[in-house]
Amino acid sequence: MTDTADVITPEAQAFLSDLEREFGARRVDILARRAARLERLLAGELPDFLPETADVRAGDWRVAPTPDEIADRRVEITGPVDRKMVINALNSGAKVFMADFEDSNSPTWFNCIDGQRNLTDALGRTISLDTGEKRYTLGDNPAVLFVRPRGWHLEERHFEVNGAPMSASLFDFGLYFFRNHGRNGRYFYLPKLESHLEARLWNDVFVWAQERLGVPQGTIKATVLIETILGAFEMDEILYELRDHSAGLNAGRWDYIFSVIKKLGHRPEMVLPDRSDVTMAVPFMRSYCELLVKTCHRRGAFAMGGMAAFIPSRRDADVNAVALANVREDKEREASQGFDGTWVAHPDLVPTAYEAFDAVLGDRPNQIGRQRDDVTIGASDLLNIAATPGEATEDGLRNNVSVGIQYLAAWLRGSGAVAINNLMEDAATAEISRSQIWQWLHHGRFTAEDVLRITDEEMASLGEGYDEARAIFESIATRPDYVEFLTLPAYHQLVDVDRL
């Protein structure tokens, strides 16, 4: 069992327990609301802007100002909370490092606890690592540290309150903030929100934690990932709920595509082609991004772009040339749309991202002043999935099978950020891979026999060590019942707790 005495002190344990007692029931209610909303979607309802919050969308309000140290966020790097990653990311030259307890972290108890140690050491400027071959230390001008806790749907089964597992969101946030509020541990990313009520819960958590620890209200600043199709219809409302603690919104592309399948994939007009064809330039994705920028800038908030997941090759210059050209094009598009910054997954992409945003921003820290009054996006634009060009091909199916199994195998071994085919993949990749396979089966693009044949072929090429991952992935992707498919636990909850 992982030693936690230096991390979860009696004082920290009391704080976490009180946090769960205060907000755990509301989290359960949030999840019940999600389930009820899904039932309405399955019965034929379509997402739309909420009539009951029209006054919020029409109102003249702005989020509270943010600290000067995060006024310029033109390049942010993301990754898990292991020690080497934390040091390299903070030294990468990016403005911000988002340390991730969520999709790029396999949530073993060791990873979660050691990650907390690593972040405290980073904020204290004492972090180092000696591998025997190289010594890693923190540079003189590290990036600003943001932390992403796990989503509302997950639990931390190693920490119980009143005999039940604690919310993983509250555990990750609460332990980090309790340990580091005096070290500038104040910046967060919030994942997987589906409604403004979920943002309200986070805001109330922030208010409670700041009051409990004697921290001035508004100290915490959080950027919300708009990575669900439902959240896209409530961007104004999400900013409003967090207005005293807001650091803007982010366009989380892979999970956004997954959410389209999860919430609307039963509808034949919502069938998506190969995921390589679902770029940020297709109509529904472009509409989502432009609405995000317009909404954020109207409210004085940051609009942050999506991930460039490419990992440069040390051996193949031709692969690098093509991929870096695509990354440059992607970042130039984001900068031209009005985004204030963007994400990369590897330090070698930081210069390319800077070039794209420097060309637009110059000496300005951001482009919040660009209001995008030229943008008019309605519900039909956000739901225009049918206009996505491309087909569901056997190559796309093969890629989903192979990448999904490879990622899950690494995740089971404790690695949540995995290099596959020169891309840094995380849990969002596994989710979209298995959901696309299910959708294509459900709508007759492929048969179960096609999936099994391709899986056999891919397993033969992968070699040993993938049998357990195959069994889990296959059981998820091929479930015949849609409601059962949607209500399956996340990967985080499919494995025996003793393995984690």
PDB file of all heavy atoms in Angstrom, residues 195-206:
ATOM      1  N   SER A 195     -23.266  21.165 -17.378  1.00  0.00           N
ATOM      2  CA  SER A 195     -24.273  22.206 -17.152  1.00  0.00           C
ATOM      3  C   SER A 195     -23.732  23.273 -16.223  1.00  0.00           C
ATOM      4  O   SER A 195     -22.723  23.069 -15.533  1.00  0.00           O
ATOM      5  CB  SER A 195     -25.548  21.600 -16.537  1.00  0.00           C
ATOM      6  OG  SER A 195     -25.364  21.381 -15.145  1.00  0.00           O
ATOM      7  N   HIS A 196     -24.449  24.399 -16.173  1.00  0.00           N
ATOM      8  CA  HIS A 196     -24.040  25.496 -15.281  1.00  0.00           C
ATOM      9  C   HIS A 196     -24.253  25.121 -13.819  1.00  0.00           C
ATOM     10  O   HIS A 196     -23.596  25.676 -12.935  1.00  0.00           O
ATOM     11  CB  HIS A 196     -24.801  26.769 -15.619  1.00  0.00           C
ATOM     12  CG  HIS A 196     -26.265  26.739 -15.295  1.00  0.00           C
ATOM     13  ND1 HIS A 196     -27.188  26.044 -16.036  1.00  0.00           N
ATOM     14  CD2 HIS A 196     -26.972  27.326 -14.289  1.00  0.00           C
ATOM     15  CE1 HIS A 196     -28.389  26.205 -15.521  1.00  0.00           C
ATOM     16  NE2 HIS A 196     -28.290  26.977 -14.459  1.00  0.00           N
ATOM     17  N   LEU A 197     -25.156  24.167 -13.545  1.00  0.00           N
ATOM     18  CA  LEU A 197     -25.335  23.731 -12.161  1.00  0.00           C
ATOM     19  C   LEU A 197     -24.084  23.008 -11.646  1.00  0.00           C
ATOM     20  O   LEU A 197     -23.771  23.070 -10.457  1.00  0.00           O
ATOM     21  CB  LEU A 197     -26.558  22.826 -12.051  1.00  0.00           C
ATOM     22  CG  LEU A 197     -27.905  23.482 -12.399  1.00  0.00           C
ATOM     23  CD1 LEU A 197     -29.034  22.476 -12.265  1.00  0.00           C
ATOM     24  CD2 LEU A 197     -28.167  24.700 -11.529  1.00  0.00           C
ATOM     25  N   GLU A 198     -23.375  22.339 -12.537  1.00  0.00           N
ATOM     26  CA  GLU A 198     -22.125  21.706 -12.150  1.00  0.00           C
ATOM     27  C   GLU A 198     -21.043  22.754 -11.891  1.00  0.00           C
ATOM     28  O   GLU A 198     -20.193  22.577 -11.014  1.00  0.00           O
ATOM     29  CB  GLU A 198     -21.698  20.718 -13.232  1.00  0.00           C
ATOM     30  CG  GLU A 198     -22.729  19.617 -13.442  1.00  0.00           C
ATOM     31  CD  GLU A 198     -22.326  18.596 -14.504  1.00  0.00           C
ATOM     32  OE1 GLU A 198     -21.117  18.519 -14.826  1.00  0.00           O
ATOM     33  OE2 GLU A 198     -23.208  17.874 -14.995  1.00  0.00           O
ATOM     34  N   ALA A 199     -21.084  23.845 -12.655  1.00  0.00           N
ATOM     35  CA  ALA A 199     -20.169  24.961 -12.386  1.00  0.00           C
ATOM     36  C   ALA A 199     -20.522  25.635 -11.064  1.00  0.00           C
ATOM     37  O   ALA A 199     -19.628  26.048 -10.308  1.00  0.00           O
ATOM     38  CB  ALA A 199     -20.238  25.971 -13.531  1.00  0.00           C
ATOM     39  N   ARG A 200     -21.810  25.744 -10.769  1.00  0.00           N
ATOM     40  CA  ARG A 200     -22.234  26.340  -9.490  1.00  0.00           C
ATOM     41  C   ARG A 200     -21.711  25.522  -8.319  1.00  0.00           C
ATOM     42  O   ARG A 200     -21.265  26.085  -7.308  1.00  0.00           O
ATOM     43  CB  ARG A 200     -23.759  26.428  -9.435  1.00  0.00           C
ATOM     44  CG  ARG A 200     -24.295  27.057  -8.154  1.00  0.00           C
ATOM     45  CD  ARG A 200     -25.817  27.103  -8.175  1.00  0.00           C
ATOM     46  NE  ARG A 200     -26.297  27.932  -9.276  1.00  0.00           N
ATOM     47  CZ  ARG A 200     -27.572  28.024  -9.647  1.00  0.00           C
ATOM     48  NH1 ARG A 200     -28.501  27.291  -9.014  1.00  0.00           N
ATOM     49  NH2 ARG A 200     -27.923  28.792 -10.653  1.00  0.00           N
ATOM     50  N   LEU A 201     -21.749  24.208  -8.454  1.00  0.00           N
ATOM     51  CA  LEU A 201     -21.219  23.364  -7.393  1.00  0.00           C
ATOM     52  C   LEU A 201     -19.725  23.624  -7.197  1.00  0.00           C
ATOM     53  O   LEU A 201     -19.257  23.761  -6.054  1.00  0.00           O
ATOM     54  CB  LEU A 201     -21.466  21.890  -7.721  1.00  0.00           C
ATOM     55  CG  LEU A 201     -20.907  20.862  -6.747  1.00  0.00           C
ATOM     56  CD1 LEU A 201     -21.369  21.127  -5.321  1.00  0.00           C
ATOM     57  CD2 LEU A 201     -21.287  19.444  -7.190  1.00  0.00           C
ATOM     58  N   TRP A 202     -18.974  23.701  -8.278  1.00  0.00           N
ATOM     59  CA  TRP A 202     -17.550  24.016  -8.150  1.00  0.00           C
ATOM     60  C   TRP A 202     -17.347  25.370  -7.478  1.00  0.00           C
ATOM     61  O   TRP A 202     -16.473  25.531  -6.609  1.00  0.00           O
ATOM     62  CB  TRP A 202     -16.867  24.012  -9.519  1.00  0.00           C
ATOM     63  CG  TRP A 202     -16.266  22.698  -9.909  1.00  0.00           C
ATOM     64  CD1 TRP A 202     -16.589  21.930 -10.990  1.00  0.00           C
ATOM     65  CD2 TRP A 202     -15.223  21.996  -9.232  1.00  0.00           C
ATOM     66  NE1 TRP A 202     -15.817  20.795 -11.026  1.00  0.00           N
ATOM     67  CE2 TRP A 202     -14.963  20.808  -9.962  1.00  0.00           C
ATOM     68  CE3 TRP A 202     -14.482  22.241  -8.068  1.00  0.00           C
ATOM     69  CZ2 TRP A 202     -14.003  19.876  -9.570  1.00  0.00           C
ATOM     70  CZ3 TRP A 202     -13.514  21.320  -7.678  1.00  0.00           C
ATOM     71  CH2 TRP A 202     -13.284  20.166  -8.419  1.00  0.00           C
ATOM     72  N   ASN A 203     -18.129  26.349  -7.864  1.00  0.00           N
ATOM     73  CA  ASN A 203     -17.975  27.682  -7.263  1.00  0.00           C
ATOM     74  C   ASN A 203     -18.228  27.630  -5.760  1.00  0.00           C
ATOM     75  O   ASN A 203     -17.501  28.235  -4.961  1.00  0.00           O
ATOM     76  CB  ASN A 203     -18.921  28.670  -7.924  1.00  0.00           C
ATOM     77  CG  ASN A 203     -18.585  30.100  -7.568  1.00  0.00           C
ATOM     78  OD1 ASN A 203     -17.618  30.674  -8.061  1.00  0.00           O
ATOM     79  ND2 ASN A 203     -19.383  30.706  -6.703  1.00  0.00           N
ATOM     80  N   ASP A 204     -19.247  26.899  -5.359  1.00  0.00           N
ATOM     81  CA  ASP A 204     -19.541  26.781  -3.924  1.00  0.00           C
ATOM     82  C   ASP A 204     -18.420  26.042  -3.194  1.00  0.00           C
ATOM     83  O   ASP A 204     -18.104  26.365  -2.034  1.00  0.00           O
ATOM     84  CB  ASP A 204     -20.877  26.067  -3.723  1.00  0.00           C
ATOM     85  CG  ASP A 204     -22.072  26.913  -4.168  1.00  0.00           C
ATOM     86  OD1 ASP A 204     -21.887  28.126  -4.394  1.00  0.00           O
ATOM     87  OD2 ASP A 204     -23.173  26.356  -4.297  1.00  0.00           O
ATOM     88  N   VAL A 205     -17.819  25.059  -3.852  1.00  0.00           N
ATOM     89  CA  VAL A 205     -16.660  24.375  -3.269  1.00  0.00           C
ATOM     90  C   VAL A 205     -15.517  25.357  -3.062  1.00  0.00           C
ATOM     91  O   VAL A 205     -14.863  25.373  -2.005  1.00  0.00           O
ATOM     92  CB  VAL A 205     -16.219  23.205  -4.184  1.00  0.00           C
ATOM     93  CG1 VAL A 205     -14.848  22.674  -3.765  1.00  0.00           C
ATOM     94  CG2 VAL A 205     -17.251  22.084  -4.156  1.00  0.00           C
ATOM     95  N   PHE A 206     -15.273  26.211  -4.055  1.00  0.00           N
ATOM     96  CA  PHE A 206     -14.198  27.193  -3.934  1.00  0.00           C
ATOM     97  C   PHE A 206     -14.463  28.163  -2.778  1.00  0.00           C
ATOM     98  O   PHE A 206     -13.563  28.467  -1.989  1.00  0.00           O
ATOM     99  CB  PHE A 206     -14.053  27.984  -5.233  1.00  0.00           C
ATOM    100  CG  PHE A 206     -13.600  27.175  -6.418  1.00  0.00           C
ATOM    101  CD1 PHE A 206     -13.815  27.648  -7.712  1.00  0.00           C
ATOM    102  CD2 PHE A 206     -12.962  25.956  -6.266  1.00  0.00           C
ATOM    103  CE1 PHE A 206     -13.392  26.926  -8.807  1.00  0.00           C
ATOM    104  CE2 PHE A 206     -12.544  25.210  -7.365  1.00  0.00           C
ATOM    105  CZ  PHE A 206     -12.765  25.705  -8.645  1.00  0.00           C
TER     106      PHE A 206
END
